[in-house]
Amino acid sequence: MTRKYSPPRLIILPCLMMLFTLPAFAQLANCSGSFLENSGGLGVKVKKFCEGYDLDWSLDKNEAAFTGGNFCLIAYKGSDTATKCGDDDDERIMYDASINITGADPDDTSNGKFMLGGKIPVTIKLEGQPDDFYPGQTIDLPYTDGKCVCADTENQYNLIITVSKDKILKSGITTNSAVGNFRLNGFHELGSLNGSVGFQITLTLATGIQISGLEDMQLVENNGSASASQNFCVFALGTERFSLRANSEEGNGESFKLINSNDETLSYSMKVEDSNSKVENYAGNKNPIRGWKPSNQYLCSDHRAENMTLTVNVANTDSVSAGVYSDTMTLTVRPN
């Protein structure tokens, strides 16, 4: 009589672990960034400009964003200390101003974009203005009649700073923060009078890790043993190594086990390898193994370049009854 044998089947469930940092926003009250440039009775000034902007981001957020600052920019003719409009010695006549933003260092701009850490594009704009800033692009700020001092809200501006999730994930950054240094430049409509003040944007990234691409496995029997392999992805931000723990639902601390409907079991082992040639054999529900290298590409470039390989092996299938044997394996990853 020929015995009918059904190949063992292993089900693998991915686990997602994310660690988060607390948000840290800049204190915007009483910011001291300023400049005052005057020549030939003309003046251009910035007051109350914040020189540091902190944004935070974690994997559950679509973007890191900041709106605020409430700084003043005016261009005028007359007194630098005027409190009202007019052409007397202690008064001023208003003129149009303009503004642009430039990178302080070569890594702070790339391909017409502002950059953080030389890797992550950041969007900067003025609240209420339709267009984003681009490096060196100048935006005109027309004056309002009768509004001559920084206390007038018509002369006050907020920055909107945004970093999108997509740009962060595609950056390949492995550190927990990215910094960009920039300069805000203000101009007078008459002549070449201008002033400048530097500022910094810091993006803090929560350490995060994600496992994906795992599928159920159908083991293939061959000469008294059975095995199967698959590739999967472990992506991480803010860490260069991670630990991986394997837990068999039917197994124990000594071995992983497949089980059939009659409670007969088959022991199996699992070999894991990463793209850095680290290889480890797992057998039994034990402590996690550390030192694995994650991918710095989100979803491993849509799973075209998965960085992990898993191989399951059953050494002796002849010793058990025919039937379907299965187990649920859970893989848990954590940043080192």
Side-chain angles (χ1 to χ4, degrees):
M1 177 181 296
T2 301
R3 186 179 70 165
K4 182 178 179 182
Y5 181 82
S6 298
R9 183 167 58 93
L10 175 65
I11 301 170
I12 296 183
L13 298 179
C15 286
L16 172 65
M17 297 291 294
M18 291 185 290
L19 305 178
F20 307 102
T21 57
L22 293 175
F25 290 100
Q27 297 298 315
L28 299 179
N30 299 319
C31 292
S32 58
S34 64
F35 64 76
L36 169 61
E37 299 292 334
N38 49 32
S39 177
L42 302 178
V44 59
K45 71 165 65 175
V46 156
K47 291 179 65 176
K48 299 294 185 180
F49 183 74
C50 294
E51 297 170 286
Y53 299 88
D54 295 335
L55 293 80
D56 78 298
W57 182 82
S58 53
L59 280 170
D60 61 333
K61 293 183 178 181
N62 289 327
E63 64 180 16
F66 168 87
T67 299
N70 199 35
F71 68 94
C72 165
L73 172 60
I74 55 174
Y76 54 89
K77 178 180 179 181
S79 172
D80 293 331
T81 59
T83 58
K84 59 182 178 179
C85 300
D87 55 7
D88 290 342
D89 290 344
D90 61 346
E91 298 174 338
R92 64 170 60 127
I93 299 171
M94 299 300 291
Y95 286 85
D96 292 346
S98 58
I99 189 174
N100 71 25
I101 293 175
T102 54
D105 300 304
D107 286 347
D108 297 322
T109 60
S110 177
N111 298 319
K113 298 177 181 179
F114 299 113
M115 305 295 291
L116 302 180
K119 291 186 174 184
I120 304 176
V122 57
T123 299
I124 309 172
K125 68 182 300 181
L126 287 181
E127 188 174 25
Q129 293 288 325
D131 299 321
D132 299 338
F133 283 110
Y134 294 95
Q137 174 204 20
T138 299
I139 293 177
D140 294 328
L141 301 174
Y143 75 91
T144 301
D145 285 333
K147 304 299 180 181
C148 301
V149 296
C150 282
D152 295 322
T153 57
E154 290 81 0
N155 296 324
Q156 297 174 0
Y157 304 95
N158 283 325
L159 285 183
I160 299 176
I161 303 170
T162 307
V163 184
S164 73
K165 178 178 183 177
D166 178 64
K167 297 296 190 294
I168 296 171
L169 293 177
K170 289 181 178 179
S171 70
I173 191 168
T174 57
T175 59
N176 284 104
S177 64
V179 177
N181 293 288
F182 309 98
R183 299 203 68 83
L184 180 140
N185 308 293
F187 303 88
H188 197 294
E189 70 168 295
L190 298 180
S192 59
L193 192 64
N194 66 86
S196 179
V197 60
F199 67 101
Q200 185 175 89
I201 299 173
T202 301
L203 173 66
T204 299
L205 302 169
T207 301
I209 189 165
Q210 184 181 66
I211 184 171
S212 63
L214 285 168
E215 298 178 347
D216 292 348
M217 301 176 72
Q218 186 77 30
L219 305 187
V220 178
E221 186 186 15
N222 183 28
N223 296 324
S225 64
S227 63
S229 296
Q230 66 168 308
N231 297 326
F232 64 102
C233 175
V234 177
F235 160 78
L237 280 172
T239 183
E240 295 186 358
R241 291 292 185 270
F242 69 93
S243 66
L244 187 150
R245 185 176 188 270
N247 188 80
S248 163
E249 185 174 287
E250 304 298 338
N252 53 43
E254 299 301 321
S255 64
F256 302 141
K257 293 186 181 296
L258 300 160
I259 191 169
N260 68 8
S261 58
N262 295 322
D263 292 333
E264 294 179 287
T265 62
L266 270 171
S267 295
Y268 70 93
S269 61
M270 184 176 69
K271 182 177 74 173
V272 178
E273 183 174 0
D274 69 12
S275 58
N276 205 38
S277 299
K278 177 180 172 64
V279 180
E280 297 284 354
N281 290 303
Y282 287 79
N285 299 336
K286 300 174 182 177
N287 292 331
I289 296 176
R290 299 165 62 90
W292 298 102
K293 182 177 177 60
S295 171
N296 62 5
Q297 300 298 316
Y298 182 58
L299 295 178
C300 297
S301 301
D302 292 329
H303 296 284
R304 295 188 301 271
E306 291 176 317
N307 62 317
M308 306 293 294
T309 301
L310 178 155
T311 301
V312 172
N313 184 65
V314 178
N316 187 3
T317 59
D318 291 334
S319 63
V320 297
S321 304
V324 176
Y325 292 75
S326 64
D327 183 31
T328 297
M329 170 65 73
T330 299
L331 301 184
T332 303
V333 292
R334 292 179 65 92
N336 278 175

